[in-house]
Amino acid sequence: MRQVVFASSNAGKIKELQALLGEGWVVKSAADFPQIPEVIEDADSFEGNAAKKARAFAQATVLWALADDSGLLVDALEGRPGVYSARYAPTESERIDKLLAELKDVAAPLRTARFKCVLCLASPSGKERLTTGTCEGAIGFERKGSHGFGYDPVFVLPSGKTMSELSREEKSALSHRGHAFRAMLPELLSVR
Ligand code: IMP
């Protein structure tokens, strides 16, 4: 069995990677290595944070390690909250409230936004590979749907549905993270 460690303890992300890789792979997570200290995401780019986490896990576990960093970029806010998406306000609900408040006077055609995900695969010997995935949409005026996490309830796709109205499989097929994972697949399959 081939092994890779995903530098995250988010069960949804681990499941998504396991489903993409299929049989023959053991996907370990941060939860399997409680002795590894939390990696502080203090870089000013998605690339910097993903690489910092992947590098730390590859060195500490002596396994190939994968890490992601992602966020929401809103055009009317000049790309904010961006790399600070998780820290834009204290709770998930407050983050959405703040976003809707900041956009309250912005008309529908100007509410365009995208999710971005950067994945980094790092080897214990120091090789690194980055892939990026994006997902285009717009910020709605109210929450809709009950699936997903983060900004999903207000992220409206070109179909008119919010990300929160999609099943896990539907989201994975078009999400920023799904695109970045699939772009990384050839690299992962070459890991020995
Ligand atoms: P992380 O990459 O898991 O640390 O995510 C950073 C932050 O970006 C999250 O806390 C969310 O606020 C936001 N985010 C990233 N991906 C998504 C998504 O698929 N849906 C909704 N919010 C997301």
Side-chain angles (χ1 to χ4, degrees), residues 24-44:
W25 280 85
V26 177
V27 179
K28 304 232 175 205
S29 76
D32 295 307
F33 299 96
Q35 72 280 15
I36 301 179
E38 193 194 340
V39 181
I40 309 295
E41 298 185 34
D42 56 1
D44 60 4

Side-chain angles (χ1 to χ4, degrees), residues 1-151:
M1 294 281 253
R2 288 188 279 181
Q3 289 196 55
V4 63
V5 56
F6 195 172
S8 165
S9 37
N10 178 321
K13 291 184 189 176
I14 313 292
K15 269 191 203 155
E16 196 172 342
L17 178 61
Q18 184 81 68
L20 188 80
L21 290 172
E23 303 274 304
W25 280 85
V26 177
V27 179
K28 304 232 175 205
S29 76
D32 295 307
F33 299 96
Q35 72 280 15
I36 301 179
E38 193 194 340
V39 181
I40 309 295
E41 298 185 34
D42 56 1
D44 60 4
S45 67
F46 296 115
E47 289 78 5
N49 283 327
K52 189 176 177 193
K53 284 189 281 183
R55 234 174 260 151
F57 270 73
Q59 280 166 13
T61 61
V62 201
L63 291 171
W64 282 78
L66 195 62
D68 74 335
D69 194 29
S70 55
L72 176 69
L73 292 87
V74 179
D75 291 326
L77 303 179
E78 285 149 7
R80 284 190 299 115
V83 74
Y84 303 107
S85 293
R87 289 162 280 167
Y88 181 53
T91 67
E92 226 163 54
S93 175
E94 287 169 291
R95 290 194 272 279
I96 292 185
D97 289 341
K98 183 173 172 184
L99 182 64
L100 293 178
E102 280 210 83
L103 294 177
K104 81 177 171 10
D105 297 324
V106 178
L110 300 177
R111 297 172 76 96
T112 48
R114 68 207 45 80
F115 279 122
K116 179 174 171 181
C117 172
V118 174
L119 271 182
C120 180
L121 179 66
S123 78
S125 65
K127 286 184 211 146
E128 279 174 26
R129 169 87 168 97
L130 291 168
T131 59
T132 300
T134 57
C135 178
E136 298 288 330
I139 305 304
F141 289 87
E142 58 187 16
R143 293 163 165 86
K144 269 193 205 160
S146 54
H147 302 290
F149 72 100
Y151 300 93

